[in-house]
Amino acid sequence: MRPSIARIALPVPLDRLFDYLIPEHCFPVIGGRVSVSFGRQTLIGIVIELATESELEKNKLKMLNEVIDVAPVWTDSLFSLLKWCSQYYHFPLGDTLSNAMPTALRKGKSADVRPQLFWSLSEQGRNKLMSGMGRAVKQAKVLTMLTSGALPHEAMTEAEISRNVLTTLEDKGWIFSENVVPEIKPWPDNIDNDSDKPRLNEEQAVAIASINSCGGFGCFLLDGVTGSGKTEVYLNAMQSVLQKKQQVLVLVPEIGLTPQTIERFRRRFNVPIEILHSGLNETERLNAWLSARDGHAGIIIGTRSALFTPFHQLGMIIVDEEHDASYKQQDNLRYHARDIAVMRANNEQIPIVLGSATPSFESIQNALSGKYFYLELTKRAGNAKPTKNHILDIKGLYLESGLSAPLIAKMREHLNAGNQVLLFLNRRGYSPALMCHECGWIAECKRCDAYYTFHQYTKELRCHHCGSQRPVIHQCQECGSTQMVTVGVGTEQLENQLTVLFPEYSTIRIDRDNTRKKGSLGSALDEIRQGKHQILIGTQMLAKGHHFPDVTLVAILDVDSALYSSDFRAAERLAQLYIQVSGRAGRASKSGEVILQTHHPEHELLSSLLKHDYRQFAMSALKERKLALLPPFSYLTLFKAESNQSDTAEMFLRQVRQTLEVNPLFDQQCSVMGPVPAPIAKKAGRFRWQLLLQVESRTAMQKLLMSSDYALTLLPLAKRVRWSIDVEPQELS
């Protein structure tokens, strides 16, 4: 009997399916998209089931508007994984599936390769370039770029060429544009592009052989000190997969952090490589997604969302910097890309490599328990030498914008030797606070429990939590004094001070404020490698993944705030940050030096890191976690609630707590903490509270949550607050 009912998952905050009638002329497929009327809206949904009966009377059901796909959007295994994600992370199925699609598909556009805009040089433009362009520098730049052939519009955007410049040139007849459908070519027989490969050491060879000998699923934790050649292990392991005409997915924490790695992949392999990240426009993202699905792309490099890309024949997954917190999605579907990548590899029966110089405690424990294969790289590759690490006690020392005299002297020593210096300060802006010198009043965001950050270049106060901005305050709003002073040091202030202290050397600052333009980060990194800048200032954007052969001194200016954090993961994060940042020094044949400025040189964590390596620190910390029954020896779920009324959010979480505690599955393995105000109790005008559930077993936690889900949605205050469930949270904020 032909199905007459389609059960659809829609992108709405309701964890249920909706029944629609199937018109005679329509043939929907499970896993395909359909267009439906939902209230006054038209939504794009995914078909989950086809049935002949509905719980509702058929005369109350609406018809499908349109069947968009004749084939499922995802493969069977990936579709099953997405449905599992919805259940495990307790997020509506419709929203889960919608988030896993490119924006173009969410809008109902065709799942076919779309034409791309290309620019070409006309004969008239070539003649004009030869005769000279005068002062039209930008126009000359465009014509020069196009002399070697047509370029996609994205190349112009990356080169910071505005659409107005291109339109002007097109109106003059010097260039012309055309929409071109990307040509799909078969992979060449010889996929290896690089004959000048580095020589492998014994540890690298063993790691590669172990990965390549895996006949099906196997999870390999590649624990390699910074500079040990983990990327070379990736490349060699990928080669055998690509030679079998299979594809590789490479996940990276942030696409902007790894331009060197991407370039290295392009040099090495003669196969199409696609990049997937949030900075792409609709067409770029859809074409990259389709390129993977149709088997054209050999390698997909992307951030966490690339994990849900369908592949024609996926042969391996690599998760670089697997410890990085950015793999955990903090809103909507709060999944951890590393953990889901392991699940996907298991479903597809392929190997997965988790690489890091500072593996997460969860991954180390999985390796110790035998769930993961443990591969270790203890030696720095090539001629790289171990760094010399020092703690600099700055108690009582005068600081010039966060710089002590001994550090300034050490910087001068390295700079005079013709080397580069990297200063790490994880605080954007000029100053983290603006204060009245007379009465101590501090400019505070009215919408958050947080102080404004002073940005000197834009002459504004900015809240880094809600994004609100206001002009600089010149008069105290408490006492009327005009004696307003900055408190603390940010990267802008540090940059200003360094131009005064070292006027003969070029300084560059790399943070989110000055790398917003497309291509600006890549240009800055190229200039650093070319030696145009000697002093580098950076936040976490410079802490990992970059190879700067001339950097011989790395200084971490302020870590004291992380030493006494209430978050039990703070010590792990600080240790990872320290190892990652210090790994930027001495990566070539030059010896490196790392200096850590602190008011607390006696702190146990700092002395442990200097005396021992990260692995010994991790083993010691894991023993403490086990005694305290903290992850990975127990499992957490964070319930968050926010409302315009603080009492409402608190009362809702009290109802959640009662619901959990009366559940028959709540036993001695379970405990609930809270509700308590969030660390930032007010954000963007809303009051925030949270509740923490701790269970000793992952299975027991999921059973408790699943059996409580429906009851939680029926709580009296559930519709009056904005609330969410974060399974296995990485940040308790």
Side-chain angles (χ1 to χ4, degrees), residues 268-329:
R268 187 65 163 265
F269 296 120
N270 191 24
V271 298
I273 298 176
E274 296 285 358
I275 315 298
L276 269 173
H277 58 91
S278 58
L280 301 178
N281 63 37
E282 267 186 37
T283 300
E284 289 174 309
R285 191 172 185 85
L286 178 60
N287 283 351
W289 192 88
L290 294 172
S291 182
R293 185 198 68 177
D294 298 339
H296 172 51
I299 302 168
I300 289 283
I301 303 173
T303 47
R304 59 176 179 255
S305 61
L307 174 63
F308 300 123
T309 304
F311 283 81
H312 179 68
Q313 193 173 8
L314 185 60
M316 177 180 285
I317 300 175
I318 292 170
V319 184
D320 192 29
E321 308 289 1
E322 65 86 27
H323 69 277
D324 200 285
S326 60
Y327 282 123
K328 172 72 173 179
Q329 173 82 10

Side-chain angles (χ1 to χ4, degrees), residues 5 42 47 51 55 70 89 142 162 192 219 254 269 288 291 382 468 510 516 519 523 551 599 660 677 684 707 725:
I5 308 291
T42 299
V47 180
E55 292 180 1
V70 295
Y89 291 104
V142 174
S162 70
D192 194 345
C219 185
E254 294 181 48
F269 296 120
S291 182
S468 64
I510 294 185
R516 293 186 188 278
S523 300
V551 170
H599 289 91
L660 294 171
S707 61
I725 299 176

